[in-house]
Amino acid sequence: MSTRNFGEPVKRVEDPRLVRGHGRYVDDIGDENTLHAAFVRSPHARATITDIDPEPAYDVDGVIAVYTYEDLDGALAEPMPLLIPHPDLTHPRHPYPLAKDRVNHVGEAVAMIVARDRYVAEDAAAAVRVTYEAAPAVVGLDRAVEAAELVHEDVPGNTAAVSTQSYGDAAGQIEDAPHRLSLTWDIERSAAMPIEGKGVHARWDAGDDKLTVWTSTQTSTGVRGAVSAKLGLDTSQVDVITPDVGGGFGVKIMHPWPEELLIPWASMRLGRAVKWTEDRREHFVSSAHERAQRLHVQVGFDDDGRVLGLEVDILHDNGAYIPYGLIVPINSSTQLLGPYKPAGYRVTFTSLYTNTVIVTPYRGAGRPQGVFAMERTMDRIAQYLGKDRMAVREANFLQPEDFPVEFGNLMFQDGRPLRYDSGNYPELARKLRDLVGWDDFAEYRAKAAEQGRRVGIGVGFYVEGTGPGPYEGAHVEILTSGKVKVATGLTSQGQGHQTVFAQIVADELGVAFADVAVTTGDTRRFAYSVGTFASRGAVMSGSAVALAARKVRTRITQVAADALEADPGDLEIVDGQVRVKGDPATAMALGTVAVLANPLRYAFDEASKAATQFAGGADFDKPPVAPGQAPGLDETDYYSPTHSTFAAGAHAVIVETDPETAEITILKYAVVHDCGPMINPRIVEGQIHGGVAQGIGGALYEVMSYDEAGQLTNASYMDFLMPYVSELPTRIEVDHLETPSPLNPLGVKGAGEAGVIPTSAAIAAAIEDAESFPITRMPISPSELYELRTRGSGAGTGTGSGTGPDADQQPLINTMPGTTARPWSATSEKETA
């Protein structure tokens, strides 16, 4: 019998080529005749451009062209598109591909130079003379709300959007609740930082009237659509190919970047291949950032800690422009609830312009901010009541019998009502307790204290909407060799798509895994797709691949049934052979079926002779190709869901904080995750490990540090800190729960962002548990933790916050400046670190 592949930890087929250095990235494309581009970028965060003098650049030997906004024409001279319109986005503002008369953040492109090589292009860029009139910059949420200066003069209050969603009577529930808390939580700005930045290579073929673009993107079809629209081409005139991509993490789902339009445009104007590869500083100051939010929470709850009413007001920093719409704050506001459903909920987010780099989704895409607020609020409720933190969560969990769960009129990022399809949150908690040793932690803490060590434990739960539509498709073809070719428009940035899609097809068609080859992200092979984002690869393209393979299987049995004189229902496919059930000797190879599926007039090899007109066995009362059929053994199908599917998980972490240096060490990290049936457990665990690593970076190291003039002060890897392997736990403990989704043919849910979503919440809780004073903003560095200690009175005793398993310990103490040491009070209007 054929070996089952679905659910097996098959090794990734991509890895041997990549680890041997045989990958092919955008920067590897081209030859000595390829021209190179470089950009003049604004040194100011907010300024008017009064003059651009490109003439000195032409004195640099090897310069081909210098372009400014004045050179742009047609639709390219218009602002960049708003990708996702929303009725609440009342003041959308977008940049031009090259700045027209104003710049609104450091790094905004002002001019493009094309030269014989990158060295010449960079020298010429430095020679271009741009005169600016600088103005005060709006940096940070406080300055944006203050609105003493406006990023865009025609946008009142720097406000791009205000959006409110609700169900129930949240205000009334809070007012009537036995207990109330008012809390404020902050997450600072960070960024994805893939090892490969953006890159574009374009070649215009005037003879064929054809443009070919190679770009490091998460949506080749999206880039094709944008290039076609902005350059006045039919989509059939544009091929977009995504070669190997050195990481995306969300920053490359933003499209089109100005460079994805300007490089093809220059190629068309010059009749030469042109390329541009982003350098690291460019990525810091001109690609997208994320995370920066402040969330104010008002919550009412009963004596058991059950949340009765919840109101949340979010300030979201969207940067200088808002090309990707409101997806990030929509995710924050709808995913904040996690595995809970208060009786009443009201959330309002205000999206604000600042003179900083744009904000678009970064792995987690707004969910880490919402989860940070919700999970830390759960910790505060437990502390206030003197209860175990896990017990308070368990009192609030939705139960398995509650599914599907509706949330009134709340609308998710897919434009459809928020509805959880499946899950078992109490079981997640049970597994997590065992995995991290929650119930034994009091004893562990006591032993550590005897050694003069401070340790703490924290948890974070989340629910993640994955696999949003509108659709993905796939094409599956059986070759006359018996091998299988699969194509999907989805792009790959390291997720293992070539492996998992081959596993699905191998099982559906009864062929060897090694006989299936998968192509992704090439519009020549598959023209229609949406893109790789929101943990949707397995859900969307995986389902489409399965549906297309099932159509091919039906066709196989129809063709083989005629040849074997059997009923299609009596056939099975095993090890690449189509055979009669119970009579394995009556069989034919899959490749032979592929030959017969394409009636021929001419034979080119021995195999094809069987499909020619004199081969015999034809039914002369039927046409060679049956009505409604097509020659060949290939099918295309699409999967389009009614709703997103919702994965879930829980993280727990044990940290140690050094009593003298305040260094934070992660001693143990545990994850329980539910993405439904796992196609490849090895790949799922790899996704979780990578996500946890990024989450730890976001919790303890990574922050974009702007000064008041809008200058990014740490725009290099010398200053922007990311964790090395030495900063990560030696082992991440992972357990799985599988609750299948009823929404797709595989029952799967997404896993790509699982590791990063609750990490800051769990780590903040653990540090707070170790130090006994509040941690309300992330990330936190040792120097910041040390400062909090020195500002406090009686803080850092290591006795715990009274919120963990040892809930009878001393309560958390509020020892912030200007206060008297006292138990943290429910009447506190604001918690600040």
Side-chain angles (χ1 to χ4, degrees):
M1 295 295 290
S2 298
T3 301
R4 178 170 172 78
N5 292 279
F6 193 110
E8 294 300 316
V10 176
K11 290 184 178 179
R12 289 172 25 130
V13 298
E14 300 91 337
D15 290 347
R17 179 175 58 84
L18 295 174
V19 300
R20 290 185 174 98
H22 297 157
R24 190 167 187 251
Y25 301 86
V26 170
D27 197 49
D28 296 319
I29 296 165
D31 55 29
E32 65 276 7
N33 295 314
T34 300
L35 300 177
H36 293 252
F39 289 86
V40 178
R41 298 187 183 276
S42 170
H44 301 286
R46 182 166 173 248
T48 299
I49 301 171
T50 60
D51 184 61
I52 302 176
D53 180 8
E55 290 306 316
Y58 283 108
D59 293 335
V60 180
D61 183 46
V63 170
I64 305 298
V66 180
Y67 299 116
T68 67
Y69 173 79
E70 298 301 324
D71 298 297
L72 305 183
D73 51 12
L76 191 62
E78 299 170 357
M80 301 288 283
L82 170 60
L83 291 177
I84 307 175
H86 191 283
D88 291 339
L89 182 50
T90 55
H91 292 80
R93 296 294 179 269
H94 315 294
Y96 292 90
L98 294 172
K100 183 178 180 182
D101 48 20
R102 295 189 59 82
V103 290
N104 283 304
H105 67 84
V106 172
E108 187 166 352
V110 175
M112 177 175 68
I113 288 82
V114 180
R116 68 170 179 245
D117 61 42
R118 182 64 177 262
Y119 300 98
V120 172
E122 293 286 357
D123 288 345
V128 175
R129 296 171 183 162
V130 185
T131 305
Y132 300 93
E133 287 184 2
V138 178
V139 179
L141 289 169
D142 290 334
R143 291 287 301 278
V145 171
E146 183 183 81
E149 300 285 343
L150 298 178
V151 175
H152 303 282
E153 296 297 334
D154 58 346
V155 178
N158 290 313
T159 301
V162 178
S163 181
T164 297
Q165 296 201 69
S166 66
Y167 68 81
D169 179 14
Q173 294 282 354
I174 295 169
E175 179 67 25
D176 295 340
H179 311 286
R180 297 183 296 277
L181 287 172
S182 181
L183 313 163
T184 299
W185 310 101
D186 281 274
I187 293 281
E188 292 288 354
R189 176 179 283 241
S190 187
M193 292 296 142
I195 196 66
E196 178 204 30
K198 304 194 299 290
V200 187
H201 181 114
R203 185 181 66 216
W204 171 251
D205 188 326
D208 287 341
D209 213 25
K210 192 85 169 180
L211 178 67
T212 304
V213 179
W214 291 262
T215 179
S216 184
T217 183
Q218 292 175 228
T219 173
S220 53
T221 55
V223 172
R224 181 192 59 168
V227 169
S228 300
K230 285 294 189 178
L231 301 189
L233 299 171
D234 295 334
T235 54
S236 61
Q237 293 178 271
V238 181
D239 289 330
V240 176
I241 303 162
T242 302
D244 291 320
V245 176
F249 310 116
V251 67
K252 295 176 184 177
I253 191 59
M254 171 57 207
H255 68 283
W257 290 101
E259 301 87 357
E260 287 176 319
L261 301 177
L262 293 168
I263 300 303
W265 175 77
S267 178
M268 293 177 68
R269 286 179 68 107
L270 298 171
R272 299 273 300 275
V274 182
K275 73 183 294 184
W276 167 79
T277 302
E278 183 179 60
D279 66 35
R280 185 52 58 185
R281 176 167 173 79
E282 281 184 299
H283 190 79
F284 271 98
V285 300
S286 65
S287 290
H289 300 167
E290 213 235 89
R291 296 288 191 264
Q293 285 185 2
R294 178 175 300 148
L295 303 95
H296 182 69
V297 175
Q298 297 188 80
V299 59
F301 51 96
D302 65 16
D303 293 342
D304 294 320
R306 292 187 185 89
V307 176
L308 304 176
L310 181 68
E311 291 193 313
V312 182
D313 291 280
I314 302 172
L315 296 180
H316 172 73
D317 180 348
N318 58 242
Y321 305 105
I322 194 163
Y324 206 79
L326 301 175
I327 293 302
V328 171
I330 287 173
N331 278 349
S332 300
S333 58
T334 56
Q335 302 282 259
L336 179 146
L337 292 171
Y340 323 112
K341 186 182 179 182
Y345 176 58
R346 191 272 303 166
V347 60
T348 299
F349 68 75
T350 302
S351 192
L352 296 161
Y353 289 110
T354 60
N355 289 117
T356 57
V357 173
I358 64 171
V359 165
T360 68
Y362 159 40
R363 195 177 195 175
R367 300 172 185 89
Q369 300 95 304
V371 168
F372 181 71
M374 187 74 247
E375 290 301 294
R376 301 306 342 274
T377 296
M378 285 295 181
D379 290 337
R380 284 288 180 272
I381 292 171
Q383 182 272 325
Y384 176 87
L385 295 173
K387 289 184 175 291
D388 179 289
R389 287 172 287 170
M390 195 76 86
V392 166
R393 288 168 168 84
E394 289 166 343
N396 283 278
F397 283 149
L398 290 161
Q399 298 300 307
E401 60 270 20
D402 294 334
F403 292 92
V405 181
E406 307 277 356
F407 290 86
N409 295 321
L410 296 192
M411 300 295 287
F412 189 47
Q413 64 145 305
D414 57 3
R416 290 169 176 260
L418 183 69
R419 184 173 72 183
Y420 293 178
D421 54 315
S422 63
N424 188 338
Y425 310 140
E427 182 63 11
L428 285 176
R430 187 195 66 77
K431 283 178 170 285
L432 189 67
R433 279 180 177 272
D434 294 342
L435 196 61
V436 76
W438 180 269
D439 295 326
D440 300 324
F441 184 72
E443 180 181 351
Y444 177 83
R445 190 207 299 274
K447 290 180 179 179
E450 291 173 1
Q451 301 167 357
R453 298 167 54 216
R454 297 179 184 174
V455 296
I457 191 169
V459 296
F461 287 76
Y462 68 95
V463 174
E464 178 197 358
T466 71
Y471 70 88
E472 285 296 337
H475 178 259
V476 177
E477 179 181 11
I478 310 294
L479 305 181
T480 55
S481 64
K483 295 184 181 298
V484 185
K485 294 287 188 181
V486 180
T488 179
L490 204 73
T491 60
S492 297
Q493 302 86 45
Q495 296 93 338
H497 292 153
Q498 285 85 355
T499 302
V500 296
F501 296 160
Q503 289 178 259
I504 293 168
V505 171
D507 280 359
E508 294 289 345
L509 296 182
V511 299
F513 170 77
D515 286 342
V516 184
V518 178
T519 297
T520 63
D522 187 338
T523 62
R524 299 169 302 176
R525 292 292 308 278
F526 202 89
Y528 295 96
S529 176
V530 180
T532 304
F533 60 94
S535 302
R536 69 193 298 272
V539 178
M540 298 298 300
S541 283
S543 294
V545 164
L547 293 173
R550 290 172 190 179
K551 288 175 70 173
V552 172
R553 185 184 183 96
T554 298
R555 178 91 171 105
I556 290 168
T557 57
Q558 290 171 344
V559 174
D562 287 341
L564 296 174
E565 297 181 346
D567 186 278
D570 293 334
L571 299 181
E572 60 183 358
I573 309 173
V574 179
D575 295 330
Q577 296 281 319
V578 186
R579 67 191 191 186
V580 176
K581 297 174 184 177
D583 183 13
T586 305
M588 67 169 51
L590 203 54
T592 303
V593 182
V595 170
L596 296 176
N598 182 25
L600 297 173
R601 184 174 180 84
Y602 308 108
F604 304 106
D605 54 26
E606 287 298 316
S608 60
K609 288 180 181 180
T612 57
Q613 62 265 47
F614 297 113
D619 184 342
F620 301 125
D621 293 325
K622 297 180 180 178
V625 178
Q629 297 289 351
L633 208 53
D634 66 297
E635 296 286 353
T636 297
D637 208 345
Y638 292 85
Y639 170 66
S640 181
T642 58
H643 292 79
S644 296
T645 185
F646 285 80
H651 292 205
V653 59
I654 297 173
V655 305
E656 180 172 355
T657 57
D658 189 282
E660 296 182 358
T661 67
E663 183 177 0
I664 302 160
T665 303
I666 296 174
L667 303 178
K668 187 172 185 177
Y669 205 102
V671 178
V672 182
H673 183 245
D674 177 10
C675 62
M678 291 181 287
I679 302 169
N680 187 316
R682 184 194 300 265
I683 287 177
V684 171
E685 291 212 5
Q687 289 284 339
I688 292 172
H689 289 176
V692 168
Q694 277 189 305
I696 290 171
L700 300 178
Y701 301 97
E702 300 170 8
V703 61
M704 290 294 179
S705 180
Y706 278 96
D707 66 17
E708 63 181 13
Q711 297 291 331
L712 187 58
T713 62
N714 60 340
S716 77
Y717 283 165
M718 292 289 290
D719 302 298
F720 180 81
L721 301 181
M722 293 186 293
Y724 296 154
V725 68
S726 55
E727 276 73 62
L728 301 176
T730 56
R731 179 177 174 81
I732 299 170
E733 303 286 345
V734 180
D735 196 4
H736 299 282
L737 180 66
E738 297 187 2
T739 60
S741 171
L743 300 181
N744 64 74
L746 301 175
V748 298
K749 309 174 188 178
E753 295 164 279
V756 76
I757 294 173
T759 314
S760 285
I763 290 175
I767 295 170
E768 184 174 284
D769 193 40
E771 294 288 326
S772 302
F773 54 75
I775 306 297
T776 65
R777 65 186 305 130
M778 293 295 270
I780 185 170
S781 67
S783 59
E784 289 166 330
L785 180 59
Y786 187 86
E787 175 65 18
L788 287 176
R789 286 176 176 174
T790 59
R791 286 162 55 190
S793 160
T797 61
T799 58
S801 66
T803 64
D806 41 5
D808 58 346
Q809 293 186 79
Q810 298 179 15
L812 189 70
I813 302 298
N814 177 5
T815 54
M816 307 315 296
T819 66
T820 303
R822 57 183 173 79
W824 195 277
S825 170
T827 62
S828 172
E829 282 299 313
K830 185 176 182 181
E831 299 182 6
T832 56

